[in-house]
Amino acid sequence: WAAVALPSAPAGAPAATPAVSSTAVAIANAAAGIRFFGRATFGFPEQKATPKYSGIHCHPGRPFGYKNPRKRQDKVRRLPNVRLQHYDFDLTMSTGGQFHFRAPFPPRVNRTIEVKAPWGAHKNPWPTTEHKTYKMQWKNIEYVYEPRLMRKPHGHGGRRWSGPVTRVEHHPGGQKTTTLVTHDRRLLDH
């Protein structure tokens, strides 16, 4: 905790104004890694910052953040398109006893961007303005699952697609019972 001192006059000389400004001292102390907590406050009610605790990480002097934040107001974050990788395919056996790689179902569609023609296509074979839905239904039981690209996929790359899984049971007379199976499909993996 050594601070940069102002230059002092030699003994017996008249006291003169310092040649180094306080701004230069603050810059030198910051370069040396010295932080001053005496004047800093944060939070509501205001608390003094200490070397051990200086509050949430936000802009200094703005405990409630910026007055006019520039962020996505009521908009979904547009995620990048991600091609299928080798770990996205599953090795499955067909009815004839042969083995082959099976693509994931339902297809992993990026629903955060507008609908466009597939890569390399000159004309859109499905000229619609909304993304296709893929039903997973057997008799009166239906599972609703729309894969979403996770923001920070930790671990294996094949686990970056997830989303809630809902079970819909259709009853006679047009009634149905909806149940949330899980909030994260990755929890259903063995």
Side-chain angles (χ1 to χ4, degrees), residues 116-118 121-128:
K116 291 186 176 178
H122 297 288
K123 183 181 175 185
N124 193 350
W126 304 288
T128 59

Side-chain angles (χ1 to χ4, degrees), residues 115-137:
V115 179
K116 291 186 176 178
W119 286 338
H122 297 288
K123 183 181 175 185
N124 193 350
W126 304 288
T128 59
T129 57
E130 57 187 36
H131 291 283
K132 293 174 71 176
T133 57
Y134 298 90
K135 273 191 170 185
M136 295 186 288
Q137 185 171 357

